[in-house]
Amino acid sequence: MSLNRREFLLGSAAACVVPALAGFASEQPLQVNAPRLRQTLEELSVFGRPAGGTFADGVSRVAYSDADVAGRRYVMGLMEASGGKPRVDAAGNILCSRPGEDTSLPTILFGSHIDSVPHGGNFDGDVGSLSSVEILRTLNDRNIRTRHPLQAAIWQNEEGALVGSSIAAGELSASDLQRVSTSGLTFAEGIRKLGGDPNHLDTARIPKGSLRCYLELHIEQGGTLAQQGIPIGVVEGIVSIDDYDVTIRGFANHAGTTPMPERRNALLAAAKLIEAVQEVVTAEPGRQVGTVGHMEVTPNARNVVPGLVKCTVELRDLSAEKIAILGERIEARAQQIAKDTGTQIQFEHVAHDPPATAAPEIQSTIEKAAASLNLKTMRLPSGAGHDAQMMARIAPMGMIFVPSQGGISHSPQELSRWDDIANGANVLLQTILLVDRT
Ligand SMILES: [Zn+2]
C-alpha cells in the first residue's frame, strides 16, 4: 500500500461504513478518527507549554502541578463529550468504563499517562492516553458493542515513580506516600490535589487476575523502529535493572610532588572501570546496556591526585540472569583494576527491578492486529519503565510502540509522525477487538 493510499484511508475512515474486524481480505478494518486524534494531542499540549511557545517547544506538565490538573480536566471533558462517565479513583487515576454485552466477562483495560518530565515532549504518554480516549469515541460513534467491558486509564504521576499504576497494582507502601515529588508536593498531597483520597488507596486496587488484559500504546523513546522503517513495535517486556554504588579508594596527594609510579589515583581506576563496563556489556550479542552515569570525585581539585571516587553502574536487559552475570564480570574486572592502580574498589548492589514480561498471547494478538492493517512489526524490549510493568504484576500485559524520530525523548525535540501515531492507535483498537472475540 502506498503512503498516499494509507493517508487517504486514515483521513476518510470516519466517512465510510466498515466492519469492526476484517473477516475477509477485501474488508477494511475499523479505524480511529486520525485527524481528531491529532487535534486532541495538539489541544492537550497547551497545558504546561512554555509561555509564548508553540507545540514544538514541548511541555512541562509535571504531576500534581496546576498544568497537570488542567490537562486532566481537558481529558475528562473529552471522555464526557463522547458519552463516557470518567471518575477519579482514590489514587488519583482517571478511569472511564464502557460496558460490555456480557457482564460475566473481565474488563479489557488500556491507557497511559499525561504527566511529563520538566521540559519534556508532547508524545510520551499523551499518545497512548489520547488514543485510548479516541478508541472509546470511535466505538461510541459507530455504536459498536464489545463482549467484554472496556476501561481507559490515565495513570497519575508515571514520570515520578509509576505512582498511580503502582497503587492500582498494590505495589506502593504507606511510607512512599511521604516521598516528595518533582512538583514539591508529597505523593499524598498530590493525590489529594487530583481529587483522590490517600487514606483509602485500597479502594483503587485492581485485584490480581480480575482483568482480561492491560494494553498500552507508547512512543518507543529509542530509535530502533525509526531507523529500520518499521511502523509498529511489539514489546516483549520491560527490562530488568540492576543498580550498583561503587566506591573507589586511592590516596589523595600532591599533584606536583607525587611521582607517577607512586600514585594511587582513584579517578584513573574509575576511568578504567568505565571502559570495563563498556567492554563487558558489548562483548556479547544482545540488547543489554550498561552505564556509568554519576560520579563524585574527592577532593576534586586541580592540583591533587584524586583520593576517592563514588560512582554508579546501571545494567539493563530483559533477562535478569544476564545482567547478574554481567555484574559479576564487571566486579571481577574491577578487582584487577584495583590491583593495577593500587586502589580498593567496593561494589554495593543497591537496587534490582525484575523484568516485566509481555504475555506471549497478547504479543501475537498485536501482530495479528497489525497484519490486518498491512503494518510491519518487530519485537523489541522496552528499555524505559512504563505503567504497563505494574499492570504486568496483576494481568496479562501487552505494549505497542510507535517510532520516535531520532530516538529522542524526555525533550521538547521528541517527535513521532502523525501517521505513525494513527497506525499505533489503530493497532491498539484492533488488538482490543481481537482480544474481545477470544
Ligand atoms: Zn511514558
Side-chain angles (χ1 to χ4, degrees), residues 124-145:
D124 177 0
D126 299 357
V127 164
S129 297
L130 292 185
S131 294
S132 299
V133 176
E134 173 56 38
I135 284 166
L136 293 181
R137 292 177 94 177
T138 299
L139 294 172
N140 289 347
D141 289 352
R142 307 299 186 84
N143 233 337
I144 290 167
R145 306 287 299 178

Side-chain angles (χ1 to χ4, degrees), residues 112-113 124-125 158-159 216 218 221 385-386 410:
S112 195
H113 63 98
D124 177 0
E158 190 271 351
E159 298 293 358
E216 184 164 350
H218 205 280
Q221 300 181 280
H386 295 289
H410 285 186

